[in-house]
DNA sequence: GCCGTTTTCGGCCCGACTGTTTTCAGTCG
């Protein structure tokens, strides 16, 4: 049974949950949570690394004790502490923590007093009216618990970034009409461009916060008002998306934006920096005693802490604070840097527009080239192209290039990687194309070693220049397939192949961590829309956000290169 | 359990809202 970083992170998370239920030292609990985060974002595969006899590198938040637990888990698949905690508390009790309003203290009371340790038991206790009898609980709490279990069984839902962004834009437009409101901006994970968003965090400036909070409560799409006070309010939209609003005076706008954008880990680091200087940072500003040193803008607050402004996409405590302190922040890629798009579909396979229409739409959006890369014959459901249709399409591409100015259409293909790692079209068909994009569209459940070998074999084909959506995930629908991404990235470097960041809202694949890995390993990333229609070039914005989360600069993005430079890269060997 | 240009002990981010308590604990972000 292979042990992955995700398994290790989950184990640390479970330890944190169970320690919390035992009311252990909160800082010890935090240490496990931080370790879980660090491990889950780690690029090297810990178990493989240790199995090869190499020492664990120095990792933030992982000292002697946790380092030993990492080794223990990698070697045995178990952590003695976790085993012991699981013996001491019933399985499943940690699930109760996921319910809104239930934390470790209350879960502990429910267990000690009512012997409740599962969601079904808790629901029965609520319906029987037993919860209201407990000290610290009441009828309201009992009702909320029953409702939460019935609605979702405690499951936390996350929304795709593009979906949440639409709701957020509508809420923001509504809030801008509130009486006495100044700025309105979406903060939180939406502003950090995370691929999924748990809830929408909205920040507004006003001198009358209560009025703005009340205005939100009357938003027509609100299903339930969860909380509302003079400075903050939370509502649940009918789509089941929670919106948290915070209102501050203009002099605190920057500090509040910083606080409400997060991430939590980034904020904690900043507050520690403030403490080291004898200052206090909160959502109202940076303070020395009662004197506000900064707060109106984010730049002011960072500057007062001795740092340049840090782009929101980087604020994950993944080294950005250290980089900022040493003048080493990346100059992140922007949408304006993109010169072309190397993965576009047309009516020839499953797209909705002609080659000419797609080219014209790309030109309108400031692009100088697109690569038409249809599916290959194997993907019959998408009208994949066989060699004959591919040759015919080539003729149409040439005529479009002759007619249209200011945009160049490259002849490409999104060729399927077959089960054995060979490609769906023969080399002599691929050779004359401008660009070959290889993609896995089948056999998602192969064992890790087999899947990895398959993809590495495809990358050995001399015509392949881009590996499309390298993880094969569909957000909310399909998990990424199990593959040794680091091995894939290193093969790409060896073969001078670029990795795609597919910017389709359901994919966003590579992930941010994958982009960072590509950057660290010196592999180019192509930010491609995978557009199937003329409006889908807008996907590129999503891709750029994710690329920025992965610290990518223009030099690391293949399609940030002007066409002549791109052609030189394509004409290697 | 981690960590150190106020180091190896004594710290560890900070404030708002809810429900229940009659002055505040628990939870959340």
């Amino acid at each position: 049974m292979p042990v992955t970083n995700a398994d290790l992170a989950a184990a640390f998370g479970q330890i944190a949950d169970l320690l919390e239920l035992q009311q252990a030292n909160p800082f010890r609990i935090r240490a496990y949570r931080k370790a879980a985060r660090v491990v889950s974002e780690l690029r090297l595969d810990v178990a493989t690394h240790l199995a090869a006899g190499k020492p664990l590198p120095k990792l933030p938040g992982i000292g002697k004790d946790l380092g030993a637990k990492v080794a223990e888990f990698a070697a045995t698949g178990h952590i003695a502490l976790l085993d012991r905690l699981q013996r001491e508390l019933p399985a499943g009790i940690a699930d109760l923590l996921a319910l809104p309003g239930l934390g470790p203290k209350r879960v502990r009371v429910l267990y000690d007093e009512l012997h409740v340790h599962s969601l079904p038991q808790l629901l029965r206790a609520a319906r029987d009216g037993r919860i209201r009898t407990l000290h610290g609980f009441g009828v309201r709490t009992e009702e909320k618990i029953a409702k939460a279990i019935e609605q979702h069984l405690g499951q936390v839902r996350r929304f795709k970034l593009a979906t949440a962004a639409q709701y957020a834009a509508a809420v923001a437009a509504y809030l801008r009409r509130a009486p006495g409101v100044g700025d309105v901006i979406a903060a939180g994970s939406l502003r950090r461009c995370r691929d999924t968003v748990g809830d929408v965090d909205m920040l507004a400036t006003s001198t009358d916060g209560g009025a703005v909070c009340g205005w939100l409560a009357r938003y027509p799409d609100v299903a339930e008002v969860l909380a509302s006070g003079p400075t903050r309010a939370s509502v649940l939209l009918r789509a089941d998306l929670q919106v948290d609003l915070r209102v501050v005076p203009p002099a605190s706008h920057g500090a509040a934006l910083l606080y409400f954008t997060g991430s939590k880990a980034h904020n904690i680091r900043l507050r520690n920096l403030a403490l080291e200087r004898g200052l206090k940072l909160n959502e109202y500003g940076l303070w020395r005693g009662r004197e506000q040193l900064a707060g109106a803008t984010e730049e002011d607050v960072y500057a007062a802490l001795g740092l340049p402004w840090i782009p929101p996409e980087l604020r994950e405590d993944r080294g950005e604070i250290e980089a900022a302190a040493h003048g080493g922040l990346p100059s992140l890629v922007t949408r304006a840097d993109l010169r072309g798009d190397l993965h576009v579909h047309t009516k020839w396979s499953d797209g909705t527009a002609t080659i000419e229409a797609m080219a014209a739409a790309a030109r309108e959006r400031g692009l100088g080239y697109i690569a038409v890369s249809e599916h290959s014959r194997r993907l019959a459901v998408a009208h994949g192209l066989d060699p004959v249709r591919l040759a015919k399409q080539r003729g149409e591409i040439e005529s479009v290039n002759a007619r249209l100015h200011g945009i160049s259409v490259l002849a490409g293909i999104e060729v399927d990687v077959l089960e054995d790692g060979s490609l769906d079209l023969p080399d002599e068909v691929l050779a004359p194309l401008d660009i070959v994009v290889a993609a896995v569209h089948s056999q998602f459940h192969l064992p890790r070693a087999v899947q990895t070998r398959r993809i590495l074999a495809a990358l050995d084909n001399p015509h392949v220049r881009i590996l499309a959506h390298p993880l094969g995930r569909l957000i909310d629908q399909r998990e990424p397939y199990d593959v040794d991404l680091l091995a894939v990235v290193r093969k790409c470097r060896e073969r001078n192949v670029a990795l795609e960041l597919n910017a389709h809202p359901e994919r966003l694949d590579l992930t941010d961590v994958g982009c960072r890995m590509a950057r660290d390993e010196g592999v180019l990333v192509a930010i491609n829309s995978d557009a199937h229609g003329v409006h889908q070039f807008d996907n590129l914005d999503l891709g750029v956000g994710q690329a920025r989360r992965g610290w990518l600069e223009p030099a690391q993005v293949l399609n940030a290169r002007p066409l002549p430079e791109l052609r030189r890269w394509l004409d290697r060997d």
Side-chain angles (χ1 to χ4, degrees):
Chain A
M1 189 67 182
V3 171
T4 66
N5 290 357
D7 296 330
L8 181 54
F12 281 156
Q14 286 169 28
I15 290 176
D17 281 345
L18 293 171
L19 284 175
E20 203 159 32
L21 289 169
Q22 297 202 336
Q23 337 236 319
N25 177 351
F27 301 106
R28 189 181 172 209
I29 295 162
R30 184 192 294 174
Y32 278 99
R33 293 217 191 282
K34 176 169 187 189
R37 182 175 65 83
V38 167
V39 167
S40 70
E41 292 169 354
L42 206 55
R43 68 193 191 99
L44 101 183
D45 187 79
V46 171
T48 314
H49 186 82
L50 292 176
K54 294 178 225 166
L56 195 67
K58 180 84 196 78
L59 297 172
I62 298 186
K64 198 175 158 199
D65 185 280
L66 286 175
K69 289 189 169 65
V70 170
E72 180 189 3
F73 191 74
T76 68
H78 286 270
I79 297 175
L81 169 64
L82 179 56
D83 293 345
R84 197 196 82 212
L85 290 168
Q86 286 174 335
R87 281 195 301 275
E88 289 168 359
L89 287 165
I93 189 169
D95 296 346
L96 304 187
L97 292 171
L99 286 177
L102 281 194
K105 300 273 173 60
R106 285 178 163 167
V107 169
R108 190 71 209 201
V109 170
L110 289 165
Y111 176 57
D112 289 341
E113 303 292 325
L114 300 177
H115 309 297
V116 160
H117 54 79
S118 73
L119 290 172
Q121 288 173 335
L122 184 61
L123 183 57
R124 267 200 302 281
R127 285 179 175 160
D128 295 348
R130 281 180 283 148
I131 291 175
R132 68 182 72 180
T133 65
L134 298 173
H135 183 75
F137 291 77
V139 177
R140 292 289 310 275
T141 306
E142 188 176 77
E143 285 169 354
K144 279 178 84 169
I145 288 173
K147 198 168 148 197
I149 301 175
E150 283 162 0
Q151 275 181 349
H152 303 299
L153 277 169
Q155 285 192 353
V156 184
R157 184 168 167 214
R158 292 189 70 87
F159 289 75
K160 286 190 277 284
L161 175 62
T163 309
Q166 289 174 21
Y167 286 107
V171 172
Y174 169 81
L175 285 174
R176 288 194 182 98
R177 298 197 299 272
V181 80
D183 292 315
V184 175
I185 182 171
S189 49
L190 197 65
R191 183 165 179 243
R192 302 202 313 279
C193 294
R194 268 195 66 173
D195 50 7
T196 61
V197 170
D199 49 34
V200 170
D201 297 306
M202 206 62 78
L203 177 70
T205 53
S206 171
T207 50
D208 184 358
V212 182
C213 289
W215 182 261
L216 175 65
R218 292 190 298 278
Y219 182 52
D221 199 27
V222 166
E224 187 182 353
V225 178
L226 302 170
S228 187
T231 67
R232 65 191 307 171
S234 292
V235 301
L236 197 62
L237 301 185
R238 281 198 286 252
D240 223 16
L241 177 64
Q242 185 171 328
V243 177
D244 295 330
L245 170 67
R246 190 71 197 255
V247 189
V248 296
S252 296
H253 184 244
L257 186 56
L258 200 53
Y259 156 77
F260 223 28
T261 296
S263 67
K264 191 169 184 168
H266 181 86
N267 285 349
I268 290 175
R269 291 291 309 277
L270 290 184
R271 288 175 174 194
N272 276 321
L273 278 183
L275 280 178
E276 284 169 17
R277 292 158 191 252
L279 309 175
K280 184 175 73 168
L281 177 62
N282 60 21
E283 56 265 54
Y284 297 108
L286 182 67
W287 307 85
R288 178 183 287 126
R290 308 184 72 168
E291 179 199 2
Q292 191 198 39
L293 303 180
T297 70
E298 288 188 333
E299 286 84 350
D300 294 346
V301 177
Y302 279 115
L305 292 172
L307 297 174
W309 181 80
I310 298 176
E313 297 92 337
L314 297 182
R315 300 181 194 171
E316 299 287 346
D317 189 22
R318 295 177 182 164
E320 73 279 6
I321 291 174
E322 291 78 1
H326 299 106
L329 281 178
S331 300
L332 297 178
V333 64
T334 67
R335 172 62 181 81
D337 292 321
L338 297 189
R339 305 299 189 89
D341 187 340
L342 297 171
H343 188 164
V344 170
H345 294 270
T346 74
K347 283 185 164 180
W348 280 84
S349 64
D350 59 349
T352 59
T354 62
I355 295 174
E356 182 161 1
M358 291 300 279
R363 187 178 57 187
E364 273 174 34
R365 286 161 179 78
L367 300 178
Y369 55 87
I370 58 171
V372 173
S373 43
E374 313 287 9
H375 295 290
S376 59
R377 57 189 173 189
R378 155 68 177 272
L379 215 58
V381 289
H383 301 107
L385 269 54
D386 58 21
V388 174
R389 291 183 63 220
L390 188 59
K392 274 193 191 167
Q393 189 202 39
R394 184 63 180 260
E396 184 175 326
I397 289 173
E398 279 162 14
S399 92
V400 169
N401 273 331
R403 276 200 306 280
L404 278 188
H405 299 287
I407 182 97
S408 297
V409 181
L410 306 184
I413 188 80
E414 182 184 6
V415 64
D416 253 52
V417 175
L418 304 181
E419 281 77 359
D420 61 357
S422 66
L423 301 180
D424 187 29
L425 291 169
D427 281 0
E428 60 269 24
V429 172
L430 300 178
L433 294 170
D434 293 318
I435 187 164
V436 173
V437 180
V440 169
H441 290 120
S442 62
Q443 298 287 105
F444 300 115
H445 295 293
L446 295 176
R448 182 182 180 89
V450 180
Q451 190 73 278
T452 303
R453 206 177 322 131
R454 171 195 190 191
I455 294 172
L456 295 185
L459 292 172
D460 270 328
N461 181 293
H463 303 297
V464 171
R465 301 314 306 275
I466 295 181
L467 178 64
H469 39 74
L471 295 168
R473 71 158 179 181
L474 294 176
I475 298 172
D476 267 359
Q477 295 170 57
R478 189 171 73 213
E479 290 296 306
Y481 39 70
D482 195 8
V483 67
D484 181 349
L485 185 61
L486 186 57
V488 170
V489 170
R490 289 184 170 160
K491 173 64 88 173
C492 284
R493 184 178 52 190
E494 175 197 327
R495 302 286 315 158
N496 198 15
V497 169
L499 288 161
E500 179 179 75
L501 195 180
N502 187 300
H504 193 281
E506 294 189 348
R507 290 193 180 271
L508 288 175
D509 173 10
L510 284 181
T511 58
D512 51 2
V513 173
C515 289
R516 184 81 179 269
M517 190 188 285
R519 171 193 155 101
D520 290 347
E521 296 291 330
V523 172
L524 290 171
V525 173
I527 304 173
N528 293 336
S529 69
D530 200 357
H532 286 66
V534 291
H535 299 297
Q536 293 180 17
F537 287 106
D538 296 338
N539 291 352
L540 290 172
D541 292 324
L542 294 171
V544 167
Q546 175 113 324
R548 290 166 63 87
R549 290 180 57 80
W551 291 50
L552 294 187
E553 306 183 65
Q556 292 138 5
V557 175
L558 178 60
N559 51 323
R561 301 185 175 194
L563 185 57
E565 219 178 294
L566 173 73
R567 286 201 191 278
R568 278 200 294 281
W569 184 81
L570 290 170
D571 291 341
R572 58 114 202 238
D573 46 64

